[in-house]
Amino acid sequence: MAPPGGPMMMQVTDTEVKVSRVQVAGLQRTKNDIVVEQVKDVLTAGTLQDVLVKSFESLQKLNELNIFKHVDLRLDTAKDRHGNAKGLAVTFLVTEHGRLKSTIAANAGTQSGDTSLSLTLRNLLGRAEQLSLITATTVPLWGHTVQLQFSKPYYKDIEKKLLVAIGNTNTKHPFSGYQAYTTASNVALHFPSQLGSHSLTWGGDWRQLYSFGTNIPLSVREQAGHSLKCSLKHTLEADERDDPLLPRSGFRVKMAQEVAGVGGDVCFGKAELQSEAYWELFSDWVLSLSLWGGVMRPYTPSRINDRFFLGGPTTLKGFGMWGTGPREQGYSLGGEAYWATGLHLFAPLPFVRNELVRRIRIHSFATAGNLIHCSSLSQLPGLSRNIRCSCGVGLHFRLGVAQIELNYALPLRAQPTDQLSPGLQFGIGLEML
Protein backbone atom coordinates (compact mmCIF):
# COMPACT_ATOMS: atom_id res chain seq x y z
CA MET A 1 0.00 0.00 0.00
CA ALA A 2 1.32 3.41 -0.88
CA PRO A 3 1.91 5.82 2.00
CA PRO A 4 -0.56 8.68 2.54
CA GLY A 5 0.04 11.44 0.06
CA GLY A 6 1.98 9.06 -2.23
CA PRO A 7 1.13 7.79 -5.73
CA MET A 8 -2.07 6.08 -4.60
CA MET A 9 -3.41 9.35 -3.15
CA MET A 10 -2.52 11.22 -6.33
CA GLN A 11 -4.29 8.58 -8.40
CA VAL A 12 -7.47 8.97 -6.37
CA THR A 13 -7.55 12.74 -6.25
CA ASP A 14 -6.71 13.10 -9.96
CA THR A 15 -9.61 10.85 -10.92
CA GLU A 16 -11.90 12.63 -13.35
CA VAL A 17 -15.42 13.19 -12.04
CA LYS A 18 -18.48 15.14 -13.04
CA VAL A 19 -20.47 17.11 -10.50
CA SER A 20 -24.10 16.71 -11.46
CA ARG A 21 -25.76 18.44 -8.54
CA VAL A 22 -24.88 20.96 -5.83
CA GLN A 23 -27.46 21.48 -3.12
CA VAL A 24 -27.72 23.62 0.03
CA ALA A 25 -30.12 21.95 2.44
CA GLY A 26 -31.59 23.51 5.56
CA LEU A 27 -32.38 27.04 4.33
CA GLN A 28 -35.24 28.77 6.10
CA ARG A 29 -35.06 32.58 5.87
CA THR A 30 -32.04 32.74 3.56
CA LYS A 31 -32.62 33.49 -0.13
CA ASN A 32 -31.28 31.09 -2.74
CA ASP A 33 -29.35 33.62 -4.81
CA ILE A 34 -26.81 34.51 -2.11
CA VAL A 35 -25.92 30.87 -1.33
CA VAL A 36 -25.83 29.89 -5.02
CA GLU A 37 -23.06 32.47 -5.56
CA GLN A 38 -20.97 30.89 -2.80
CA VAL A 39 -21.21 27.26 -4.04
CA LYS A 40 -21.54 27.50 -7.84
CA ASP A 41 -17.79 27.02 -8.47
CA VAL A 42 -18.09 23.41 -7.30
CA LEU A 43 -19.92 22.62 -10.57
CA THR A 44 -16.78 23.53 -12.55
CA ALA A 45 -14.61 20.89 -10.84
CA GLY A 46 -13.21 18.25 -13.18
CA THR A 47 -11.29 15.98 -10.79
CA LEU A 48 -11.93 14.65 -7.33
CA GLN A 49 -9.17 16.88 -6.01
CA ASP A 50 -10.88 19.92 -7.55
CA VAL A 51 -14.17 18.87 -5.99
CA LEU A 52 -12.62 18.66 -2.52
CA VAL A 53 -10.77 21.98 -2.85
CA LYS A 54 -13.72 23.91 -4.28
CA SER A 55 -16.17 22.35 -1.82
CA PHE A 56 -14.11 23.42 1.19
CA GLU A 57 -13.67 26.90 -0.30
CA SER A 58 -17.44 27.15 -0.67
CA LEU A 59 -17.93 25.89 2.87
CA GLN A 60 -15.65 28.63 4.14
CA LYS A 61 -17.60 31.26 2.17
CA LEU A 62 -20.87 30.05 3.68
CA ASN A 63 -19.38 30.33 7.17
CA GLU A 64 -18.16 33.87 6.44
CA LEU A 65 -21.75 34.97 5.80
CA ASN A 66 -22.27 34.76 9.58
CA ILE A 67 -25.82 33.48 9.18
CA PHE A 68 -25.23 29.76 9.74
CA LYS A 69 -24.57 28.06 13.07
CA HIS A 70 -23.29 24.89 11.40
CA VAL A 71 -22.20 24.08 7.84
CA ASP A 72 -21.45 20.43 6.97
CA LEU A 73 -20.37 18.88 3.69
CA ARG A 74 -21.58 15.59 2.20
CA LEU A 75 -20.41 13.93 -1.02
CA ASP A 76 -22.55 11.23 -2.60
CA THR A 77 -23.28 9.60 -5.94
CA ALA A 78 -25.96 11.31 -8.00
CA LYS A 79 -28.50 9.02 -9.61
CA ASP A 80 -30.97 9.49 -12.40
CA ARG A 81 -34.65 8.52 -12.18
CA HIS A 82 -33.80 4.91 -13.07
CA GLY A 83 -31.34 4.63 -10.18
CA ASN A 84 -28.23 4.68 -12.35
CA ALA A 85 -25.11 6.56 -11.24
CA LYS A 86 -24.92 9.99 -12.84
CA GLY A 87 -21.90 11.84 -11.51
CA LEU A 88 -21.30 13.30 -8.07
CA ALA A 89 -23.75 15.10 -5.76
CA VAL A 90 -22.37 17.71 -3.35
CA THR A 91 -24.63 18.73 -0.48
CA PHE A 92 -24.05 21.48 2.08
CA LEU A 93 -26.10 20.90 5.22
CA VAL A 94 -26.70 24.19 7.02
CA THR A 95 -28.35 25.27 10.26
CA GLU A 96 -29.28 28.93 10.45
CA HIS A 97 -28.58 31.16 13.42
CA GLY A 98 -31.47 32.53 15.41
CA ARG A 99 -32.88 35.90 14.40
CA LEU A 100 -31.69 37.85 17.47
CA LYS A 101 -28.14 38.11 18.78
CA SER A 102 -26.88 40.04 21.83
CA THR A 103 -23.23 40.83 22.53
CA ILE A 104 -21.31 42.39 25.40
CA ALA A 105 -17.80 43.46 24.45
CA ALA A 106 -14.84 45.51 25.61
CA ASN A 107 -12.78 47.45 23.09
CA ALA A 108 -9.74 49.69 23.27
CA GLY A 109 -8.23 52.44 21.15
CA THR A 110 -5.02 54.43 21.46
CA GLN A 111 -6.40 56.88 24.04
CA SER A 112 -9.42 55.20 25.61
CA GLY A 113 -11.48 52.04 25.89
CA ASP A 114 -15.17 51.23 25.95
CA THR A 115 -17.64 48.60 27.01
CA SER A 116 -20.53 48.00 24.65
CA LEU A 117 -23.84 46.18 24.46
CA SER A 118 -25.32 45.36 21.06
CA LEU A 119 -28.59 43.80 19.91
CA THR A 120 -28.51 42.49 16.34
CA LEU A 121 -31.19 41.24 13.96
CA ARG A 122 -29.37 38.75 11.73
CA ASN A 123 -30.17 37.85 8.14
CA LEU A 124 -32.81 40.55 8.20
CA LEU A 125 -33.96 40.30 4.56
CA GLY A 126 -32.54 36.88 3.77
CA ARG A 127 -29.24 37.99 2.21
CA ALA A 128 -26.95 38.21 5.28
CA GLU A 129 -28.04 41.74 6.25
CA GLN A 130 -27.59 42.82 9.86
CA LEU A 131 -29.34 45.58 11.79
CA SER A 132 -27.64 46.42 15.10
CA LEU A 133 -28.41 48.74 17.98
CA ILE A 134 -25.19 49.48 19.84
CA THR A 135 -24.70 51.35 23.09
CA ALA A 136 -21.22 51.96 24.49
CA THR A 137 -19.66 53.70 27.47
CA THR A 138 -16.15 55.11 27.05
CA VAL A 139 -13.45 55.30 29.73
CA PRO A 140 -11.35 57.13 30.84
CA LEU A 141 -12.61 59.86 28.46
CA TRP A 142 -16.06 59.44 29.94
CA GLY A 143 -18.74 59.38 27.30
CA HIS A 144 -21.65 57.49 25.87
CA THR A 145 -22.56 56.37 22.35
CA VAL A 146 -25.81 55.06 20.88
CA GLN A 147 -25.70 53.89 17.26
CA LEU A 148 -28.03 52.16 14.80
CA GLN A 149 -26.06 50.28 12.17
CA PHE A 150 -27.07 48.37 9.02
CA SER A 151 -24.66 46.18 7.04
CA LYS A 152 -25.08 44.16 3.88
CA PRO A 153 -22.50 42.11 1.90
CA TYR A 154 -22.48 42.12 -1.89
CA TYR A 155 -23.91 38.71 -2.72
CA LYS A 156 -21.46 38.01 -5.59
CA ASP A 157 -18.42 38.90 -3.46
CA ILE A 158 -19.06 38.79 0.28
CA GLU A 159 -15.72 40.50 1.04
CA LYS A 160 -17.37 43.67 -0.28
CA LYS A 161 -19.72 45.15 2.29
CA LEU A 162 -21.97 48.19 2.57
CA LEU A 163 -22.43 49.78 6.00
CA VAL A 164 -24.85 52.58 6.97
CA ALA A 165 -24.90 54.03 10.49
CA ILE A 166 -26.45 56.86 12.46
CA GLY A 167 -25.94 57.68 16.11
CA ASN A 168 -25.18 60.10 18.94
CA THR A 169 -21.97 60.41 20.96
CA ASN A 170 -21.42 62.46 24.11
CA THR A 171 -17.78 62.51 25.25
CA LYS A 172 -15.75 64.49 27.77
CA HIS A 173 -12.10 65.35 27.05
CA PRO A 174 -10.75 66.51 30.42
CA PHE A 175 -7.17 66.85 29.13
CA SER A 176 -8.35 69.59 26.73
CA GLY A 177 -11.18 71.03 28.81
CA TYR A 178 -14.09 70.40 26.46
CA GLN A 179 -17.08 68.15 26.00
CA ALA A 180 -18.40 67.16 22.56
CA TYR A 181 -21.90 66.07 21.62
CA THR A 182 -22.01 64.62 18.10
CA THR A 183 -24.85 63.40 15.90
CA ALA A 184 -23.18 61.37 13.18
CA SER A 185 -24.28 59.55 10.05
CA ASN A 186 -22.06 57.70 7.61
CA VAL A 187 -22.14 55.40 4.62
CA ALA A 188 -19.13 53.13 4.14
CA LEU A 189 -18.02 50.62 1.52
CA HIS A 190 -15.48 47.98 2.57
CA PHE A 191 -13.65 46.05 -0.14
CA PRO A 192 -10.34 44.19 -0.67
CA SER A 193 -7.63 44.64 -3.28
CA GLN A 194 -4.13 43.36 -3.92
CA LEU A 195 -2.82 46.17 -1.71
CA GLY A 196 -4.98 45.29 1.32
CA SER A 197 -8.37 46.10 2.83
CA HIS A 198 -10.02 49.37 1.82
CA SER A 199 -12.73 51.43 3.46
CA LEU A 200 -14.37 54.37 1.67
CA THR A 201 -16.63 56.44 3.92
CA TRP A 202 -18.81 59.49 3.57
CA GLY A 203 -19.67 61.00 6.94
CA GLY A 204 -21.82 63.86 8.13
CA ASP A 205 -21.24 65.02 11.73
CA TRP A 206 -23.16 67.72 13.53
CA ARG A 207 -20.95 68.62 16.50
CA GLN A 208 -21.74 70.70 19.58
CA LEU A 209 -18.74 71.63 21.71
CA TYR A 210 -18.89 72.86 25.29
CA SER A 211 -16.06 73.90 27.59
CA PHE A 212 -16.11 72.56 31.14
CA GLY A 213 -13.91 72.71 34.19
CA THR A 214 -12.04 75.65 35.70
CA ASN A 215 -9.55 78.00 34.12
CA ILE A 216 -10.42 76.86 30.58
CA PRO A 217 -8.28 78.79 28.06
CA LEU A 218 -9.97 81.27 25.74
CA SER A 219 -8.76 79.36 22.66
CA VAL A 220 -10.95 76.43 23.77
CA ARG A 221 -13.95 78.44 24.97
CA GLU A 222 -14.18 80.44 21.73
CA GLN A 223 -14.71 77.18 19.80
CA ALA A 224 -17.83 76.34 21.80
CA GLY A 225 -20.96 76.01 19.72
CA HIS A 226 -22.11 74.13 16.65
CA SER A 227 -20.21 72.93 13.59
CA LEU A 228 -21.09 70.66 10.67
CA LYS A 229 -18.43 68.43 9.16
CA CYS A 230 -19.12 66.51 5.95
CA SER A 231 -16.13 64.47 4.83
CA LEU A 232 -14.95 61.72 2.51
CA LYS A 233 -12.43 59.32 4.04
CA HIS A 234 -10.38 56.47 2.59
CA THR A 235 -8.51 53.93 4.72
CA LEU A 236 -6.14 51.21 3.48
CA GLU A 237 -4.71 48.53 5.75
CA ALA A 238 -2.17 45.88 4.71
CA ASP A 239 -1.23 43.22 7.25
CA GLU A 240 1.62 40.83 6.38
CA ARG A 241 2.52 39.74 9.93
CA ASP A 242 3.09 36.04 10.51
CA ASP A 243 0.89 36.12 13.63
CA PRO A 244 -1.48 38.95 14.62
CA LEU A 245 -1.15 38.10 18.34
CA LEU A 246 2.57 37.38 18.73
CA PRO A 247 4.23 38.54 15.51
CA ARG A 248 7.82 37.53 14.88
CA SER A 249 8.19 38.80 11.34
CA GLY A 250 6.34 40.85 8.75
CA PHE A 251 4.74 44.27 8.78
CA ARG A 252 1.45 46.12 9.06
CA VAL A 253 0.64 49.44 7.40
CA LYS A 254 -2.48 51.57 7.83
CA MET A 255 -3.02 54.76 5.83
CA ALA A 256 -5.98 57.14 6.04
CA GLN A 257 -6.85 60.19 3.97
CA GLU A 258 -9.76 62.49 4.77
CA VAL A 259 -11.16 65.51 2.94
CA ALA A 260 -13.69 67.64 4.83
CA GLY A 261 -15.70 70.38 3.15
CA VAL A 262 -18.11 68.34 1.04
CA GLY A 263 -20.82 70.41 2.69
CA GLY A 264 -20.78 71.96 6.15
CA ASP A 265 -18.59 74.71 7.60
CA VAL A 266 -15.45 72.64 8.35
CA CYS A 267 -12.87 72.36 5.60
CA PHE A 268 -9.51 70.56 5.73
CA GLY A 269 -7.37 67.83 4.19
CA LYS A 270 -5.89 65.20 6.48
CA ALA A 271 -3.56 62.22 6.06
CA GLU A 272 -2.25 59.77 8.65
CA LEU A 273 0.09 56.76 8.56
CA GLN A 274 0.65 53.98 11.10
CA SER A 275 3.24 51.29 10.35
CA GLU A 276 5.05 48.59 12.28
CA ALA A 277 7.63 45.94 11.35
CA TYR A 278 8.99 42.88 13.19
CA TRP A 279 12.23 40.89 13.04
CA GLU A 280 13.04 37.76 15.07
CA LEU A 281 16.63 38.06 16.32
CA PHE A 282 16.75 34.82 18.32
CA SER A 283 14.15 32.28 19.36
CA ASP A 284 11.21 34.40 20.65
CA TRP A 285 13.42 37.51 20.85
CA VAL A 286 11.72 40.03 18.56
CA LEU A 287 12.72 43.54 17.52
CA SER A 288 9.83 45.86 16.61
CA LEU A 289 9.90 49.29 14.97
CA SER A 290 6.81 51.51 14.73
CA LEU A 291 6.44 54.76 12.81
CA TRP A 292 3.36 56.98 12.98
CA GLY A 293 2.72 60.34 11.43
CA GLY A 294 -0.03 62.69 10.36
CA VAL A 295 -0.60 66.08 8.81
CA MET A 296 -3.69 68.26 8.55
CA ARG A 297 -4.06 71.17 6.14
CA PRO A 298 -6.91 73.41 7.39
CA TYR A 299 -8.72 75.66 4.90
CA THR A 300 -10.87 77.11 7.67
CA PRO A 301 -9.54 77.66 11.21
CA SER A 302 -8.86 74.19 12.62
CA ARG A 303 -11.02 72.98 15.48
CA ILE A 304 -9.73 71.23 18.56
CA ASN A 305 -11.90 68.16 17.95
CA ASP A 306 -10.28 67.60 14.53
CA ARG A 307 -6.62 67.89 15.58
CA PHE A 308 -4.01 65.27 16.48
CA PHE A 309 -2.91 64.59 20.07
CA LEU A 310 0.22 62.88 21.35
CA GLY A 311 1.36 61.52 24.69
CA GLY A 312 0.36 58.80 27.13
CA PRO A 313 1.02 55.11 27.82
CA THR A 314 -0.15 53.97 24.37
CA THR A 315 1.81 56.54 22.35
CA LEU A 316 4.69 58.59 23.75
CA LYS A 317 5.43 56.78 27.01
CA GLY A 318 6.62 58.66 30.07
CA PHE A 319 4.37 61.62 29.23
CA GLY A 320 0.87 62.35 30.47
CA MET A 321 -2.23 61.68 28.39
CA TRP A 322 -2.13 64.20 25.52
CA GLY A 323 0.84 65.65 27.43
CA THR A 324 2.92 67.02 24.55
CA GLY A 325 2.52 69.72 21.92
CA PRO A 326 0.78 73.09 22.12
CA ARG A 327 -0.70 73.76 25.57
CA GLU A 328 -2.38 76.64 27.35
CA GLN A 329 -3.13 76.94 31.06
CA GLY A 330 -2.38 73.24 31.54
CA TYR A 331 -4.75 72.03 28.80
CA SER A 332 -3.72 70.32 25.57
CA LEU A 333 -4.72 72.17 22.39
CA GLY A 334 -3.62 69.49 19.92
CA GLY A 335 -1.78 70.10 16.68
CA GLU A 336 -2.05 69.82 12.91
CA ALA A 337 1.09 67.73 12.38
CA TYR A 338 2.88 65.02 14.33
CA TRP A 339 5.26 62.12 14.08
CA ALA A 340 6.17 59.39 16.55
CA THR A 341 8.37 56.31 16.51
CA GLY A 342 8.91 53.44 18.90
CA LEU A 343 11.62 50.77 19.08
CA HIS A 344 10.89 47.66 21.17
CA LEU A 345 12.86 44.54 22.04
CA PHE A 346 10.56 41.75 23.21
CA ALA A 347 11.84 38.73 25.15
CA PRO A 348 9.99 35.75 26.63
CA LEU A 349 9.52 35.24 30.34
CA PRO A 350 12.01 32.62 31.54
CA PHE A 351 10.86 29.12 32.49
CA VAL A 352 7.33 29.64 31.12
CA ARG A 353 5.60 27.08 28.91
CA ASN A 354 1.92 27.79 29.49
CA GLU A 355 0.45 29.12 26.23
CA LEU A 356 -1.55 31.91 27.88
CA VAL A 357 1.37 33.06 30.05
CA ARG A 358 3.63 33.02 26.96
CA ARG A 359 1.63 36.01 25.74
CA ILE A 360 3.25 38.02 28.53
CA ARG A 361 6.64 39.27 27.39
CA ILE A 362 9.36 41.46 28.81
CA HIS A 363 10.21 44.45 26.65
CA SER A 364 12.53 47.40 26.66
CA PHE A 365 11.60 50.41 24.58
CA ALA A 366 12.51 53.85 23.35
CA THR A 367 9.93 56.28 21.97
CA ALA A 368 10.28 59.69 20.35
CA GLY A 369 8.04 62.17 18.57
CA ASN A 370 6.73 65.68 18.18
CA LEU A 371 3.41 67.49 17.76
CA ILE A 372 3.16 71.05 16.43
CA HIS A 373 0.72 73.71 15.38
CA CYS A 374 0.89 73.89 11.59
CA SER A 375 -1.41 76.26 9.71
CA SER A 376 0.45 75.73 6.40
CA LEU A 377 2.72 73.06 4.95
CA SER A 378 5.66 75.48 5.04
CA GLN A 379 5.73 75.02 8.83
CA LEU A 380 6.34 71.26 8.67
CA PRO A 381 10.13 71.61 9.25
CA GLY A 382 9.17 72.53 12.82
CA LEU A 383 8.59 68.82 13.43
CA SER A 384 12.38 68.36 13.59
CA ARG A 385 12.73 70.79 16.50
CA ASN A 386 11.91 70.28 20.19
CA ILE A 387 11.72 66.49 19.84
CA ARG A 388 10.48 64.56 22.87
CA CYS A 389 11.88 61.13 23.72
CA SER A 390 11.67 58.52 26.48
CA CYS A 391 12.79 54.99 27.33
CA GLY A 392 11.93 52.26 29.77
CA VAL A 393 11.18 48.62 30.47
CA GLY A 394 8.02 46.73 31.26
CA LEU A 395 5.65 43.85 30.60
CA HIS A 396 3.63 43.50 27.41
CA PHE A 397 0.56 41.25 27.24
CA ARG A 398 -1.66 40.30 24.29
CA LEU A 399 -5.28 39.61 25.20
CA GLY A 400 -7.09 38.85 21.96
CA VAL A 401 -6.59 41.85 19.68
CA ALA A 402 -5.98 44.17 22.65
CA GLN A 403 -2.53 45.03 23.98
CA ILE A 404 -1.86 45.64 27.68
CA GLU A 405 1.34 47.14 29.05
CA LEU A 406 2.72 47.88 32.51
CA ASN A 407 5.87 49.95 32.08
CA TYR A 408 8.42 51.94 34.00
CA ALA A 409 9.04 54.91 31.70
CA LEU A 410 11.54 57.75 31.98
CA PRO A 411 11.27 60.92 29.85
CA LEU A 412 14.69 61.79 28.43
CA ARG A 413 13.86 64.98 26.59
CA ALA A 414 10.84 67.25 27.06
CA GLN A 415 9.71 70.84 26.80
CA PRO A 416 8.84 73.04 29.79
CA THR A 417 5.12 73.01 28.95
CA ASP A 418 4.89 69.21 28.62
CA GLN A 419 3.05 67.15 31.19
CA LEU A 420 5.41 64.41 32.36
CA SER A 421 4.47 61.07 33.92
CA PRO A 422 7.70 59.29 34.90
CA GLY A 423 7.57 55.97 36.68
CA LEU A 424 4.92 53.27 36.39
CA GLN A 425 2.38 53.58 33.58
CA PHE A 426 -0.47 51.26 32.66
CA GLY A 427 -1.88 51.25 29.15
CA ILE A 428 -4.40 49.26 27.13
CA GLY A 429 -5.26 49.66 23.45
CA LEU A 430 -5.76 48.04 20.07
CA GLU A 431 -2.86 50.02 18.65
CA MET A 432 0.31 50.95 20.52
CA LEU A 433 3.36 52.85 19.37
Side-chain angles (χ1 to χ4, degrees):
M1 178 180 293
M8 181 64 72
M9 177 65 70
M10 292 301 297
Q11 182 179 358
V12 172
T13 56
D14 285 343
T15 302
E16 292 187 2
V17 296
K18 179 183 178 182
V19 179
S20 299
R21 185 174 71 245
V22 177
Q23 181 181 3
V24 180
L27 297 180
Q28 296 180 6
R29 301 186 307 272
T30 306
K31 305 297 184 184
N32 288 329
D33 54 0
I34 190 168
V35 295
V36 166
E37 288 293 332
Q38 316 314 316
V39 304
K40 66 180 184 180
D41 287 347
V42 179
L43 288 169
T44 65
T47 66
L48 183 56
Q49 182 179 17
D50 286 341
V51 172
L52 294 174
V53 171
K54 294 182 183 296
S55 295
F56 280 108
E57 288 177 350
S58 297
L59 186 146
Q60 183 177 357
K61 290 180 180 180
L62 290 173
N63 278 320
E64 289 174 355
L65 288 172
N66 284 327
I67 57 177
F68 300 121
K69 186 185 304 182
H70 302 293
V71 182
D72 295 317
L73 175 64
R74 185 173 69 191
L75 303 181
D76 203 352
T77 302
K79 297 181 179 180
D80 59 20
R81 60 182 179 177
H82 302 295
N84 299 320
K86 187 184 177 183
L88 198 62
V90 180
T91 304
F92 296 91
L93 304 171
V94 301
T95 303
E96 294 186 358
H97 278 298
R99 175 79 73 177
L100 184 64
K101 173 187 177 184
S102 61
T103 304
I104 299 176
N107 303 296
T110 57
Q111 305 288 0
S112 62
D114 67 65
T115 57
S116 64
L117 170 66
S118 64
L119 297 175
T120 302
L121 290 174
R122 292 186 288 203
N123 206 12
L124 187 63
L125 303 176
R127 294 183 174 88
E129 304 89 352
Q130 290 192 358
L131 181 65
S132 301
L133 177 64
I134 304 168
T135 177
T137 299
T138 305
V139 292
L141 309 182
W142 293 102
H144 188 70
T145 298
V146 177
Q147 185 181 69
L148 185 65
Q149 179 178 289
F150 174 80
S151 65
K152 176 180 175 59
Y154 179 48
Y155 75 105
K156 290 190 176 182
D157 185 353
I158 59 175
E159 291 186 349
K160 299 177 181 177
K161 183 178 291 187
L162 175 69
L163 189 146
V164 181
I166 184 169
N168 291 323
T169 301
N170 188 3
T171 309
K172 289 183 178 180
H173 299 266
F175 310 107
S176 293
Y178 75 91
Q179 178 176 354
Y181 181 84
T182 303
T183 300
S185 60
N186 61 71
V187 179
L189 177 64
H190 301 276
F191 59 96
S193 77
Q194 294 181 348
L195 297 177
S197 300
H198 297 261
S199 176
L200 186 62
T201 306
W202 177 88
D205 299 346
W206 176 34
R207 293 102 56 91
Q208 303 173 63
L209 191 145
Y210 309 91
S211 61
F212 75 94
T214 59
N215 199 29
I216 303 299
L218 177 63
S219 56
V220 176
R221 286 187 282 120
E222 66 184 4
Q223 295 190 43
H226 300 263
S227 64
L228 177 62
K229 184 184 82 167
C230 297
S231 66
L232 190 63
K233 184 176 183 179
H234 171 257
T235 302
L236 168 64
E237 182 172 0
D239 192 344
E240 296 295 334
R241 295 173 296 177
D242 64 330
D243 186 337
L245 293 181
L246 296 174
R248 294 179 175 84
S249 63
F251 65 90
R252 186 184 75 94
V253 177
K254 183 178 180 181
M255 296 181 290
Q257 307 84 36
E258 183 179 10
V259 177
V262 191
D265 58 351
V266 177
C267 188
F268 63 79
K270 195 175 188 180
E272 189 170 13
L273 167 72
Q274 293 182 357
S275 63
E276 55 193 58
Y278 299 87
W279 301 270
E280 187 172 31
L281 304 180
F282 314 104
S283 177
D284 288 334
W285 286 67
V286 178
L287 184 68
S288 168
L289 176 64
S290 299
L291 178 62
W292 294 5
V295 62
M296 173 183 174
R297 173 65 170 91
Y299 296 99
T300 56
S302 68
R303 294 179 176 270
I304 193 169
N305 45 346
D306 293 318
R307 297 173 188 157
F308 299 109
F309 293 86
L310 184 64
T314 60
T315 56
L316 204 56
K317 308 180 197 304
F319 292 81
M321 187 70 76
W322 298 2
T324 68
R327 301 179 68 81
E328 186 177 346
Q329 298 173 207
Y331 291 95
S332 176
L333 303 180
E336 290 82 14
Y338 86 100
W339 67 270
T341 185
L343 183 66
H344 297 255
L345 178 61
F346 296 99
L349 289 174
F351 313 114
V352 171
R353 295 188 178 182
N354 181 274
E355 186 62 30
L356 180 61
V357 181
R358 282 187 66 248
R359 297 185 182 183
I360 304 176
R361 297 183 291 177
I362 305 169
H363 77 134
S364 57
F365 61 85
T367 60
N370 200 5
L371 172 72
I372 63 170
H373 170 67
C374 181
S375 58
S376 67
L377 298 181
S378 62
Q379 296 176 304
L380 285 178
L383 286 170
S384 63
R385 297 187 290 269
N386 301 325
I387 296 173
R388 287 81 165 173
C389 58
S390 64
C391 67
V393 295
L395 296 176
H396 181 277
F397 177 47
R398 284 276 189 172
L399 182 62
V401 295
Q403 303 180 63
I404 302 173
E405 288 187 356
L406 178 62
N407 298 318
Y408 186 89
L410 180 65
L412 299 178
R413 185 176 179 182
Q415 300 305 309
T417 58
D418 291 343
Q419 180 184 359
L420 305 183
S421 182
L424 288 177
Q425 275 191 319
F426 175 80
I428 179 171
L430 294 179
E431 298 169 337
M432 283 195 174
L433 181 65

